[in-house]
Each structure stands twice: as C-alpha cells, then as structure tokens.
Amino acid sequence: MHIDIDLYASGTSPIHSFDPRGKLLAFFILVIVISLIQTWQTLIFCFAFSFTILLLSNLPVRLLLKYIVYPIILLLPILITLPLTSGGEVLYGTYVVIYKKGVWLSLFIVIKSTMMLLLTASTMFTAPFNKTAWALHSLYIPHAIVTVIIFSYRYIFIFMEDIRRLKISIRARGFTLKNNIFSVRTVS
C-alpha cells in the first residue's frame, strides 16, 4: 500500500477552492497574529475564527486529532512545569504549590500552539503539495528553501513506506518486536 501524500487535497470545501498563494499568505498572517495575542478575549476570538476555518475545510476529525497528538505531547512539560514554577497567587498549595498565573499561562501557550497546528493542517491538507510548493515559490520564498521543503516532505513518506515494508518482512520471518536490546539491534 502506497502512502498518499495528497489524500484530502481533492475535496470540494470552500477552503479547497482557494488559490494556494492566498491560502499561504492568509496562513502566514494568521500565525503571526496568533503568536502576538496577549489577551484572553483576542485568543477566544481567534480560536473561533480558526475553528470556523477548520469546519469550512471539511477535513476528517480523526485526521486532525492524529495530526496534533504528538505536538500536544511535546507541550505537556509546559503544562506541568509552568503551574509549579511561575510564582504569583497560589491556586493550590499543601505539599506541591500550584500557581494561578502558571496555569493560565500554560493553557494560553497550549491553545495558541494548537490553533497554529490546526491552521497548518487546514492549509496543507486542502491543496496538493506540488501546488503548495509552487505557491511558496511564487510568493518569493527562496528557491533553495522550497527545494529543501519538497525533498524533505517527499523523503518523509519514502521513509515511512520503507518502515512499513520492514515491519511486514520482519513479521513474515516470525520476529516479534519487544522492548529489549535484541529488538533494537535487529530493527536498526
């Protein structure tokens, strides 16, 4: 089975029909605006706007959840450490002190990051990759950067396909993957 890069690019949603250059330009502007947000009111407004764009793109919820699960796992240390170390008004404190400012700040960061990831998904999954790369080039992104992006993106999927074939061949030979040094040596 070949892994399809542009599986959802042929949809009929309003976001699919936008010109890739305009979509990328709007994406860059939205990401800059989201990164500069300082207040909760603006964050809620931008979240509603981003969610509307996501709904208009008609992308499957399962795809979006699969797309953001690992970055959210990487954000977990922020959710854990900021409430414990930020200082200010104590929200809870007997043995472990949890600060109110840290809770709000960590939530603020995670929500902003999630919005940016979901906007990236709605931008990248609603256009064929070759058109998106052409749009980057037509927006005067340097040719070397566009070429590196194209090669990186393509080889990620080639690598994933090779891993999939490796798993099939290992399973066909009766090997079961375990968490030990023998398994690591065999797979590497």
Side-chain angles (χ1 to χ4, degrees), residues 106-171:
S106 62
L107 286 174
F108 202 78
I109 291 169
V110 169
I111 291 170
K112 283 171 66 169
S113 302
T114 305
M115 279 193 314
M116 288 185 216
L117 285 167
L118 292 174
L119 283 173
T120 304
S122 67
T123 303
M124 296 304 293
F125 292 140
T126 57
F129 185 72
N130 60 346
K131 288 185 179 179
T132 304
W134 172 82
L136 284 170
H137 184 69
S138 68
L139 290 173
Y140 300 106
I141 303 295
H143 180 71
I145 292 175
V146 174
T147 304
V148 167
I149 290 171
I150 291 170
F151 280 129
S152 299
Y153 194 74
R154 177 66 189 139
Y155 282 109
I156 286 171
F157 290 98
I158 289 174
F159 181 69
M160 287 171 57
E161 185 72 23
D162 288 345
I163 293 292
R164 187 192 61 77
R165 275 194 251 136
L166 176 71
K167 284 181 180 178
I168 290 171
S169 65
I170 283 177
R171 225 177 302 128

Side-chain angles (χ1 to χ4, degrees), residues 9-103:
S10 61
T12 58
S13 73
I15 305 296
H16 282 85
S17 63
F18 287 156
D19 181 40
R21 292 173 295 184
K23 204 182 320 184
L24 280 173
L25 198 58
F27 164 73
F28 289 137
I29 291 169
L30 280 172
V31 165
I32 290 170
V33 166
I34 289 171
S35 66
L36 295 175
I37 291 175
Q38 297 292 322
T39 64
W40 280 97
Q41 293 83 5
T42 314
L43 182 74
I44 291 169
F45 173 76
C46 285
F47 182 78
F49 185 74
S50 301
F51 193 72
T52 304
I53 290 174
L54 218 58
L55 288 176
L56 287 174
S57 67
N58 287 338
L59 292 172
V61 175
R62 188 173 184 182
L63 169 75
L64 297 173
L65 291 175
K66 190 170 113 176
Y67 181 73
I68 67 169
V69 71
Y70 294 116
I72 287 179
I73 289 171
L74 289 174
L75 290 171
L76 282 178
I78 291 174
L79 279 172
I80 294 168
T81 58
L82 270 178
L84 298 174
T85 60
S86 65
E89 182 183 341
V90 176
L91 185 66
Y92 174 80
T94 52
Y95 297 109
V96 176
V97 178
I98 298 174
Y99 297 102
K100 185 177 181 179
K101 179 182 174 186
V103 170

